[in-house]
Amino acid sequence: MTATDSSITTARHAARAASEKLAEDIVALDVSERLALADVFLIASAPSERQVNAIVDGIEDELAKFDQKPVRREGRSGGRWVLLDYSNVVIHVQHEEDRIFYALERLWKDCPVVDLQLGDDDASAKATAGTDTE
């Protein structure tokens, strides 16, 4: 099983919104084969608590345009690690120090990277491009 098209589309909309708010190191992982509760984990980071919250606001505003609201939100008050649960897509926006410490990508390293189609500066697009073989 792989992530559904709707989950990938949601992740791409969220990633674009995060990118517009200057999120760093935006990566999406297809966790559908390893986790029953979600298809995609979207991970992004920022250098300050204020920017983490701005990214979260941008993501929520963008996804609200598509009538999507998180079923759960955690960590907003601290601004160090905010989790937005959109059922099939779980979004983690972390302070860059927490992202290094918790290393979610390392925990889910066996999961395929989702191409977020953000352009040349997108880390996930580079990771996907680097895995193509002939």
Side-chain angles (χ1 to χ4, degrees):
M1 183 190 312
T2 59
T4 64
D5 289 341
S6 65
S7 295
I8 292 171
T9 299
T10 297
R12 286 178 177 158
H13 286 299
R16 279 189 212 101
S19 179
E20 288 174 7
K21 295 294 183 179
L22 305 178
E24 299 172 353
D25 220 4
I26 305 167
V27 177
L29 303 172
D30 181 342
V31 296
S32 61
E33 290 188 18
R34 315 255 343 224
L35 200 59
L37 61 97
D39 284 346
V40 176
F41 275 5
L42 179 69
I43 307 165
S45 53
S48 71
E49 290 86 353
R50 185 178 210 166
Q51 191 172 0
V52 166
N53 287 327
I55 293 165
V56 168
D57 289 343
I59 291 170
E60 287 186 304
D61 290 346
E62 180 65 21
L63 294 182
K65 294 177 186 175
F66 301 97
D67 293 325
Q68 295 182 325
K69 294 182 178 18
V71 294
R72 192 176 80 213
R73 180 186 308 116
E74 295 180 13
R76 177 67 192 217
S77 62
R80 298 285 299 183
W81 180 350
V82 179
L83 180 142
L84 299 172
D85 184 351
Y86 284 89
S87 294
N88 288 334
V89 177
V90 177
I91 301 167
H92 302 269
V93 183
Q94 299 176 295
H95 189 284
E96 61 190 17
E97 293 170 357
D98 292 352
R99 184 161 181 184
I100 291 166
F101 182 79
Y102 290 102
L104 292 179
E105 292 97 330
R106 188 186 68 217
L107 294 173
W108 299 97
K109 67 183 176 189
D110 295 336
C111 296
V113 174
V114 175
D115 181 2
L116 294 171
Q117 300 178 346
L118 290 178
D120 293 339
D121 294 333
D122 175 34
S124 66
K126 290 178 185 174
T128 302
T131 60
D132 291 342
T133 57
E134 294 184 36

